[in-house]
Structures are given as C-alpha cells and as structure tokens.
C-alpha cells in the first residue's frame, strides 16, 4: 500500500514538473508579442501609421509626443513614430542577413572542423581563433569601412564578425554527437561518413546552434544600430533605428527623438534575449 502511494506521489510530481516545464512564462509571451509587432511593422508599416516617413509639416516641427504624434516630430515635422515603424524593415532585414551569414558560414566551418578532425580541425581552428581574438564590433567596423557605408554592408560585416561564435559552438556539438553510439552503429550498418554526417550528426547538433541564432539576432540588431549611429549605415532620409538616435542627439530640447527609437531597440533586444534563454532551458 505504501509503495503504491509513493509511486502515485512520484507520478503526480513528475506530471506537475512536466506541466511546469511545458507552460510558457508570461515574460516569454510578452516577448513573443513584441517580436510579432516588430515583424508586423517591417512587413506592413502602412497599416500602423498614416504618416509619411520622409515628408512632414514644418509648422509642427519638434512637437512633443501627443495623441496625434505618439513619438513626437523631428526637426522637419516628420512623425517620429512613422519613421521608427518604416525603419523597422531595414533594421530587421539587415539583422536577419547578419544571422544567416554567421549561421551558414560558421556552422559549415564548425561542422567540417568537428567531424573531420586532424589537419582540417587544426587549420580551421586557428582561423576561428584569429576571428575570436578580434573584438566583434571592431571587426565589423573594419569590414563595413572596406565595403562602403550602407546598411546591407553593415549586415554583412556583422555576420562575418559572428562566424567564429557559430563555428566554435557547432564544432563542440559535432564532437559531442560524433562519439555517440548511434553514430558508430551507422558505420557498422554500412553507412559512410556523409550519411552519418547528414542523417545523425547534423540533426542532433543543430539545436544549440539555433538557440544561439535567436540570441545573435538580438545582438545583430544592436550592432547594426550602433554602426548606423556612427554613420556606417544608409544616409538620410533613411530611418534606421540607429540613425534615428544619431539624428535626435543633436536636438537636446527634444529628447523624445532619442528616447523613442532607443526604447524600441532596447525592448526588441531584451525580448529576443528572453526568448533565447527560454529556448535554451527547454531544449
């Protein structure tokens, strides 16, 4: 009787733990809603504002936030909320490009390095060590200075600076998986290296890399905004988030020109980081 009672308690405790792990925390739900809004801004900006991001009324320049202008207006009378909304497409797209470059190139390097080992691992490892030795933001500045001052070049530079991070994590995951018993069993059943790599190693090594990709998306938004703030992005009248902050800092009497786009950047990056932590804890 006592054994049955103990088993029932153990089963109920396990079920409760499973429900707790499967439930989505409110902060994650809020973060997801923020990302949905940001994606909607980038895809359908005209749905969220009727103002133009490039033309304004000079009679209402530097107006404070109000029901008519949620984020106020800039020095040309342009609605700051409209400029933030229309600038989302460039900021989000460039961050996605940066993540894809880092994910694809870095994962390929890490996959080859971890699976082949030997001189391949040594050569690629030294290359990754060199990239890791250079501060990521400094490397991005050097690359975008060579390519030209455009947002897409800033995205490429940010992606290249993230290659080493993806490569290091993918290499560690591949080394862990390739020693598993099911990989050795695939060789014994007649499989070759390519089959083992595509059918067993890669499907079991990509999860942690995808979590890193989510985290890197937020980091890329921050880095690209920083590059635009320094003037390495598209020139005006573009409305990249970082450029809006840079343009607003010259008007200290209108602090909303800085606070509004900066707050959007901070909230977006924090939301992405929260989702990344949740995915890491539930994988």
């Amino acid at each position: 009787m006592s054994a049955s009672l103990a088993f029932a308690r153990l089963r109920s405790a396990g079920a409760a733990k499973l429900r707790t792990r499967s439930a989505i925390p409110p902060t994650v739900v809020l973060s997801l809603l923020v990302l949905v809004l940001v994606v909607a801004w980038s895809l359908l900006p005209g749905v969220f504002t009727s103002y133009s991001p490039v033309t304004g009324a000079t009679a209402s320049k530097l107006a404070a936030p109000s029901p008519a202008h949620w984020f106020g207006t800039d020095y040309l009378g342009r609605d700051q909320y409209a400029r933030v909304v229309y600038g989302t497409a460039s900021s989000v797209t460039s961050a996605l490009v940066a993540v894809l470059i880092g994910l694809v190139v870095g994962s390929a390097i890490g996959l080859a390095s971890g699976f082949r080992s030997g001189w391949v691992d040594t050569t690629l490892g030294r290359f990754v060590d060199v990239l890791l030795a250079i501060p990521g933001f400094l490397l991005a500045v050097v690359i975008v200075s060579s390519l030209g001052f455009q947002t897409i070049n800033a995205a490429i530079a940010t992606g290249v600076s993230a290659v080493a991070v993806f490569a290091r994590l993918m290499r560690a995951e591949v080394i862990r998986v390739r020693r598993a018993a099911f990989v050795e069993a695939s060789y014994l059943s007649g499989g070759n290296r390519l089959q083992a790599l595509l059918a067993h190693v890669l499907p079991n090594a990509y999860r942690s890399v995808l979590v890193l990709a989510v985290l890197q998306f937020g980091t890329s938004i921050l880095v690209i905004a920083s590059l635009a703030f320094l003037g390495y992005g598209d020139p005006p009248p573009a409305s990249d988030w970082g450029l809006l902050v840079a343009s607003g800092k010259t008007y200290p009497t209108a602090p909303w020109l800085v606070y509004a786009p900066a707050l959007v950047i901070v909230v977006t990056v924090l939301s992405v980081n929260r989702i990344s932590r949740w995915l890491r804890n539930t994988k």
Side-chain angles (χ1 to χ4, degrees):
M1 184 68 178
S2 59
S4 301
L5 182 59
F7 177 75
R9 289 179 178 176
L10 183 62
R11 184 174 60 180
S12 61
K17 185 177 180 181
L18 181 61
R19 287 194 299 270
T20 302
R21 292 185 61 182
S22 60
I24 302 178
T27 54
V28 175
V29 175
L30 181 60
S31 299
L32 288 172
L33 291 177
V34 169
L35 285 188
V36 169
L37 178 61
V38 169
V39 172
W41 278 357
S42 64
L43 295 177
L44 301 168
V47 174
F48 296 92
T49 178
S50 59
Y51 291 101
S52 170
V54 295
T55 60
T58 54
S60 59
K61 64 181 181 179
L62 299 179
S66 64
H69 303 284
W70 291 357
F71 292 172
T73 61
D74 64 3
Y75 62 98
L76 293 177
R78 295 174 296 190
D79 184 74
Q80 186 74 348
Y81 171 72
R83 288 179 60 76
V84 170
V85 170
Y86 276 91
T88 304
S90 176
S91 300
V92 171
T93 302
S94 56
L96 287 175
V97 171
V99 171
L100 285 176
I101 292 174
L103 177 63
V104 173
V105 178
S107 297
I109 293 175
L111 198 63
S113 178
F115 191 73
R116 291 292 299 176
S117 66
W119 67 269
V120 175
D121 185 24
T122 301
T123 303
L124 294 178
R126 298 296 77 77
F127 173 71
V128 171
D129 289 340
V130 171
L131 291 180
L132 290 174
I134 305 173
F137 188 77
L138 176 60
L139 180 61
V141 170
V142 172
I143 294 174
V144 75
S145 299
S146 303
L147 297 178
F149 296 174
Q150 291 182 344
T151 300
I152 186 61
N153 293 336
I156 295 173
T158 305
V160 173
S161 66
V163 166
V165 180
F166 283 100
R168 180 61 62 89
L169 180 60
M170 177 60 84
R171 177 183 179 274
E173 289 296 311
V174 169
I175 291 176
R176 178 184 61 84
V177 174
R178 79 178 186 186
R179 298 171 179 171
F182 59 85
V183 177
E184 298 294 335
S186 68
Y187 293 136
L188 296 176
S189 62
N192 54 35
R193 281 181 171 269
L194 182 59
Q195 291 173 340
L197 176 65
L198 298 179
H200 301 288
V201 176
L202 185 58
N204 289 279
Y206 78 93
R207 294 182 180 87
S208 297
V209 179
L210 289 184
V211 173
L212 176 62
V214 176
L215 179 62
Q216 188 63 35
F217 176 70
T219 304
S220 297
I221 290 178
L222 194 59
V223 172
I224 292 172
S226 301
L227 291 173
F229 178 83
L230 295 176
Y232 293 107
D234 291 336
S239 57
D240 294 347
W241 289 347
L243 181 60
L244 292 179
V245 176
S247 301
K249 69 181 178 61
T250 58
Y251 298 92
T253 58
W256 54 85
L257 296 180
V258 173
Y259 294 157
L263 182 62
V264 171
I265 294 172
V266 170
V267 171
T268 303
V269 172
L270 289 178
S271 299
V272 173
N273 289 351
R274 181 65 185 94
I275 294 172
S276 176
R277 291 199 308 271
W278 175 67
L279 291 174
R280 182 184 60 192
N281 294 332
T282 57
K283 69 182 180 68

